[in-house]
Amino acid sequence: MYDLIVIGGGPGGYTAAARAASKGVGRVLLIEKNALGGTCLNEGCIPAKTLLHSAKLWQSVKGASKYGVVAEAVEYKQDKVIARKNKIVRKLVAGVKAKVTASGAEILLGEASVVAVENNLYTVQVGEEQFQTTKLILAQGGEVSIPPIKGLDRVSYWTSREALSAKELPQDLTVIGGGVIGMEFAAYFCSVGVKVNVVEMLPEILGGLDREISSQLREEYSKLGVNFYLNAKVVEVSPEGVTIEHEGETKLLPASQLLLSTGRRPQTKGLEVLGLEMQGRGVKVNAKMETSAPGVYAIGDLTGFSQLAHTAIREAGVAVDNILGNEKEISYRAIPAVVYCTPEVAGVGYTEEQLQKENIPYTKASLNMTYAGRFVVENEQGSGLCKVLIGEKDEILGVHMLGNTSSEIIVVAAVAIDNGISASRLAEVIFPHPTVAEIIKETIDSEQK
């Protein structure tokens, strides 16, 4: 008998199990069907960023002469990049296992299914074994969504899993889907010399992010040779390539390698007996992460709300706190989003498009990233943008950035938004100089002068 069973060992799941065990929930069991760390650590966030960092170093070395450094006889070795990626994944998976074990939680590898419910007692089966608990945290994550494209069953294609394990670079690559994952892969393969096409059905890449920033990133990669087909519908795929409808014409894009990056969907297999209330394709939860079943919580991709590891980690904390009787509610108003291209994209809070749609008055302050001296030092011929959206009461509604180190700087804006720090108060904070982070203060000051 367990006091808590956590199904799914991704960032949300392993965080929940470790936190619950260390905080005194009682006997805790964490069940993971594949590998600890889930998709993020094994087939997503960490592997992708490892490859992108290698590509960034490669580009830095090739452009080193701009900084007064002459490098000769430099070669990019895809197989060695993949080997390093595998080493990093193994190291971090071991770290997750050590963390969970140290907390006192037990770990079991295998596919879990909830097979019985009786008087709020849940029976979970893994293989031939059964385990019982009164509390469940469901953190099964998501799975790749494969669209019903004609001819897809007759061609070989990559998803992120295969793309992250390819030891040889393709001659060319067509990416179907210009969202965050698609753009990161486009950025990687473009950076290491692969000819890349991106096909996106929406009017702009990175749907949901600030459109001005997304447009500027697309322009940057267009200059590097990436071909973008926006407002494009994929009609069919074949050994000859990808057939699309674009600008009123049917076009065939020859493609030696196809990458599907059309999103993910919640993985709900094995939960049928619970009869959970759904919201869209995800499990419906309240602000305490409670589902419609008593004692059952859902976090992460399973809810279909925010497919981000850092969101799942916070949701795990909220769920465990409520299990412990410390009533907490999740706040989604300051979830940072990052695209790890070069240059990086980062944003938090409202976008301009959201503010306009909801008729929320705002003032926009924006500056080129070159207003930060440190940015100029480290990004020869680079530009970029910092945008701060300010409400009528001086509240920070959103911050959106294009430029390297944006992924680190955006935390400043997230803290400000989450804690209700006004724009004028944030501008009074003493930022270290020279740092790229000063651009946030400079941007606010530019509007208030």
Side-chain angles (χ1 to χ4, degrees), residues 199-201 229-236 242-252:
V199 180
E200 171 55 52
M201 65 183 297
Y229 298 89
L230 305 178
N231 283 314
K233 177 183 177 182
V234 176
V235 177
E236 183 180 3
V242 180
T243 301
I244 65 171
E245 290 180 357
H246 180 246
E247 296 180 343
E249 299 179 3
T250 299
K251 303 176 182 179
L252 174 64

Side-chain angles (χ1 to χ4, degrees), residues 85-335:
K85 179 267 294 183
N86 292 337
K87 180 183 71 173
I88 288 173
V89 169
R90 288 193 299 269
K91 180 178 180 179
L92 294 179
V93 168
V96 169
K97 182 178 181 180
K99 174 182 178 177
V100 175
T101 302
S103 74
E106 299 174 43
I107 300 171
L108 177 64
L109 295 180
E111 186 168 2
S113 296
V114 183
V115 294
V117 181
E118 186 176 354
N119 297 325
N120 297 337
L121 185 66
Y122 301 99
T123 301
V124 179
Q125 183 160 330
V126 181
E128 300 299 319
E129 296 184 274
Q130 290 190 343
F131 310 91
Q132 291 187 317
T133 184
T134 56
K135 295 287 191 296
L136 278 172
I137 293 181
L138 308 176
Q140 289 151 286
E143 58 186 356
V144 174
S145 178
I146 305 297
I149 298 174
K150 182 181 179 181
L152 199 57
D153 58 343
R154 296 185 283 108
V155 299
S156 173
Y157 61 87
W158 283 350
T159 64
S160 56
R161 176 182 299 171
E162 292 79 20
L164 289 168
S165 299
K167 294 183 179 180
E168 295 183 1
L169 296 172
Q171 179 180 348
D172 60 77
L173 177 70
T174 294
V175 182
I176 297 179
V180 173
I181 297 173
M183 274 308 302
E184 288 187 351
F185 279 116
Y188 173 71
F189 285 102
C190 165
S191 297
V192 295
V194 176
K195 179 179 174 56
V196 176
N197 296 318
V198 175
V199 180
E200 171 55 52
M201 65 183 297
L202 296 176
E204 187 54 88
I205 61 170
L206 303 177
L209 274 67
D210 185 88
R211 184 169 293 189
E212 182 180 8
I213 297 288
S214 300
S215 175
Q216 289 193 18
L217 180 72
R218 175 174 51 79
E219 290 172 3
E220 290 285 336
Y221 276 92
S222 292
K223 294 174 186 176
L224 296 174
V226 177
N227 295 312
F228 291 93
Y229 298 89
L230 305 178
N231 283 314
K233 177 183 177 182
V234 176
V235 177
E236 183 180 3
V237 296
S238 66
E240 289 71 39
V242 180
T243 301
I244 65 171
E245 290 180 357
H246 180 246
E247 296 180 343
E249 299 179 3
T250 299
K251 303 176 182 179
L252 174 64
L253 307 179
S256 64
Q257 184 60 61
L258 178 65
L259 171 61
L260 288 183
S261 181
T262 49
R264 299 176 63 83
R265 61 188 178 193
Q267 170 57 267
T268 58
K269 180 182 177 184
L271 305 179
E272 294 82 2
V273 72
L274 293 172
L276 298 173
E277 184 178 353
M278 306 296 285
Q279 189 163 23
R281 293 193 295 183
V283 174
K284 185 178 181 179
V285 293
N286 61 18
K288 296 180 180 180
M289 308 314 300
E290 295 170 325
T291 70
S292 57
V296 179
Y297 299 76
I299 62 175
D301 290 6
L302 188 62
T303 70
F305 178 74
S306 173
Q307 297 179 334
L308 297 169
H310 42 282
T311 305
I313 290 170
R314 178 59 193 142
E315 290 172 337
V318 170
V320 171
D321 279 344
N322 283 294
I323 288 172
L324 288 165
N326 306 321
E327 291 195 5
K328 291 286 178 69
E329 293 190 349
I330 190 72
S331 171
Y332 292 118
R333 71 174 183 168
I335 302 175

Side-chain angles (χ1 to χ4, degrees), residues 67 343-344 368-385 402-406 409 434-439:
Y67 299 86
E344 293 180 346
N368 193 292
M369 292 289 280
T370 55
Y371 275 79
R374 175 80 174 270
F375 182 87
V376 176
V377 168
E378 297 181 352
N379 296 272
E380 181 69 20
Q381 297 178 341
S383 57
L385 181 69
L402 174 69
N404 287 335
T405 70
S406 293
I409 299 169
T435 59
V436 183
E438 289 178 287
I439 193 64

Side-chain angles (χ1 to χ4, degrees), residues 64-82:
S65 61
K66 294 185 294 186
Y67 299 86
V69 178
V70 179
E72 297 179 357
V74 181
E75 189 175 357
Y76 194 85
K77 296 282 191 179
Q78 175 73 1
D79 58 339
K80 294 187 181 299
V81 171
I82 296 298

Side-chain angles (χ1 to χ4, degrees), residues 305-418:
F305 178 74
S306 173
Q307 297 179 334
L308 297 169
H310 42 282
T311 305
I313 290 170
R314 178 59 193 142
E315 290 172 337
V318 170
V320 171
D321 279 344
N322 283 294
I323 288 172
L324 288 165
N326 306 321
E327 291 195 5
K328 291 286 178 69
E329 293 190 349
I330 190 72
S331 171
Y332 292 118
R333 71 174 183 168
I335 302 175
V338 178
V339 188
Y340 294 86
C341 300
T342 300
E344 293 180 346
V345 169
V348 64
Y350 283 98
T351 65
E352 280 200 78
E353 291 71 37
Q354 289 170 330
L355 292 172
Q356 292 164 3
K357 183 178 180 179
E358 297 184 28
N359 293 316
I360 298 175
Y362 70 96
T363 300
K364 178 175 74 172
S366 62
L367 278 182
N368 193 292
M369 292 289 280
T370 55
Y371 275 79
R374 175 80 174 270
F375 182 87
V376 176
V377 168
E378 297 181 352
N379 296 272
E380 181 69 20
Q381 297 178 341
S383 57
L385 181 69
C386 177
K387 177 194 295 189
V388 181
L389 306 174
I390 304 169
E392 289 185 313
K393 297 180 180 179
D394 196 36
E395 72 273 30
I396 300 174
L397 298 172
V399 176
H400 305 278
M401 308 178 72
L402 174 69
N404 287 335
T405 70
S406 293
S407 61
E408 302 290 345
I409 299 169
I410 201 64
V411 150
V412 174
V415 170
I417 293 173
D418 202 45

